[in-house]
Amino acid sequence: MDPAVALSFVHGTELYGQHITDWKVDDGTLTFTVARETSVVFDVDDLRAAIDGVTRVRIEAEQRRTVAALVTAPPLGHTTVRPAPRDEVYDPDAPQPLPSEHHPSCWLRSDDAPLPVRGDAQVLDNGLVRVTIAEDGLLDIVGDNGTRITGAGRIVDGGDVGDTYNYAPPRADLVVSQPVSVETEMILSGPIVAAVDVRRTYRWPAAAEAIEGIPEVPALNRRAEMEEIVVTMRVELRAGEPFVRLRVEFDNRCDDHRVRFHVPLPTPASESHAEGQFAVVTRPPDLRRRLRRDPAAHLPRLLLGRRGRRGRTP
């Protein structure tokens, strides 16, 4: 790009979310070196004086390595760590204890320190939580107190022809919950962090079938045209944590739909708590049945519209 344009993206030492640590001009190419942090004093005026004849701009990020460390910090406080060669901390000739192995039939706990995480592409275990990844990508989670959740992580796609705020399924909906293929990949194997990527491929309808010439009327069904969507779920277990971390990502190329993430409860719930405009609303489990009997009891749910290029239509 024009180097003058490149300079317009520089704010202090910040460039594209990182910080300039060095720059040079060589054979008509301006090269920035950037990193997450910098202690270099950068003067953009010095750079402007050196960019005559520059026709190309390169940005190189400094190489860095991310490592996991189990560090104890005080409540509401902080601590300081620094990397050090192993020989400075440990006697290389001293025998090292073997890591704890987690037997599948029992739970190993320690009152002194968290146990290491063990894992493969099917099972993650840190002594507090054991996660088993089924062939269909769903999770079986067991806590050391015996609490068990089976079938967690189901992805459910369905049609939605409501407006920005209200869900409204098409009259003839197509709900997709089964993937066409499932792959698992071990990302980290411990001992502090273990993580597995579960990639499930689905075929979701591309959009709803609008009624030609009547955009104000919600669609009656979903199109037959399908998009192949890969949903990646990162399953992560860390030493000392009594829960599982999940991250779900996918490239959304479909319209007029909603995607839900299902996690069954270990025991039935007596009520639910839902976010409202100005408060958290507590609802009994039989609210859905009462709405069927008396729709006027919750009239706002009936004021559904349809998203469209011309805006929301009640």
Side-chain angles (χ1 to χ4, degrees):
M1 66 173 70
D2 186 331
V5 175
L7 295 185
S8 68
F9 292 102
V10 176
H11 306 281
T13 61
E14 188 267 336
L15 175 61
Y16 289 121
Q18 299 201 56
H19 293 273
I20 298 172
T21 61
D22 193 15
W23 63 270
K24 65 180 181 180
V25 175
D26 186 24
D27 291 335
T29 299
L30 167 62
T31 302
F32 288 105
T33 304
V34 297
R36 296 179 64 178
E37 298 177 355
T38 184
S39 58
V40 175
V41 177
F42 174 73
D43 189 342
V44 70
D45 290 333
D46 293 340
L47 179 55
R48 284 196 181 98
I51 60 175
D52 288 343
V54 168
T55 58
R56 187 165 181 258
V57 178
R58 292 180 66 218
I59 301 175
E60 293 183 342
E62 289 186 352
Q63 291 186 359
R64 68 175 187 268
R65 177 175 295 177
T66 301
V67 297
L70 191 61
V71 179
T72 301
L76 301 179
H78 69 277
T79 188
T80 302
V81 297
R82 68 176 181 87
R86 178 181 175 85
D87 292 348
E88 290 185 10
V89 182
Y90 299 100
D91 180 359
D93 298 325
Q96 300 297 321
L98 295 175
S100 300
E101 294 291 342
H102 298 168
H103 194 275
S105 63
C106 67
W107 296 98
L108 302 179
R109 301 193 63 175
S110 171
D111 295 330
D112 301 325
L115 292 170
V117 184
R118 291 286 176 261
D120 54 34
Q122 281 73 45
V123 179
L124 303 178
D125 189 339
N126 68 353
L128 300 173
V129 181
R130 185 177 182 86
V131 185
T132 302
I133 304 172
E135 292 183 359
D136 58 0
L138 300 183
L139 308 179
D140 184 41
I141 306 171
V142 184
D144 64 342
N145 62 355
T147 301
R148 190 182 197 105
I149 296 176
T150 302
R154 186 181 302 278
I155 303 294
V156 181
D157 173 79
D160 184 357
V161 294
D163 62 16
T164 303
Y165 308 101
N166 299 287
Y167 162 68
R171 182 178 301 175
D173 198 0
L174 174 62
V175 178
V176 180
S177 60
Q178 296 298 323
V180 296
S181 65
V182 180
E183 298 177 356
T184 59
E185 180 185 3
M186 192 74 201
I187 304 301
L188 300 168
S189 59
I192 297 178
V193 180
V196 174
D197 275 356
V198 180
R199 284 186 287 271
R200 288 173 283 183
T201 301
Y202 297 87
R203 290 181 60 81
W204 293 345
E209 193 69 61
I211 300 178
E212 186 175 354
I214 316 177
E216 294 81 7
V217 177
L220 299 179
N221 50 42
R222 306 181 75 181
R223 290 183 187 173
E225 176 189 354
M226 295 287 184
E227 287 281 356
E228 189 170 281
I229 307 294
V230 178
V231 179
T232 300
M233 179 174 66
R234 172 71 56 88
V235 184
E236 183 177 305
L237 203 58
R238 300 182 182 183
E241 291 188 347
F243 54 87
V244 185
R245 295 173 181 263
L246 300 177
R247 186 178 69 196
V248 180
E249 296 179 342
F250 63 91
D251 180 13
N252 181 29
R253 300 190 302 277
C254 302
D255 290 325
D256 308 315
H257 71 134
R258 72 169 181 174
V259 182
R260 291 175 291 165
F261 185 86
H262 284 189
V263 179
L265 299 177
T267 58
S270 60
E271 58 188 17
S272 67
H273 305 277
E275 179 187 5
Q277 287 88 341
F278 304 105
V280 176
V281 180
T282 300
R283 295 171 175 158
D286 62 344
L287 177 61
R288 187 183 296 265
R289 293 193 295 271
R290 291 191 310 178
L291 286 176
R292 293 195 188 104
R293 293 195 301 266
D294 183 14
H298 199 60
L299 188 59
R301 286 181 59 87
L302 304 180
L303 301 180
L304 302 178
R306 180 180 182 277
R307 287 189 299 267
R309 295 181 180 177
R310 300 182 183 180
R312 295 192 302 274
T313 303

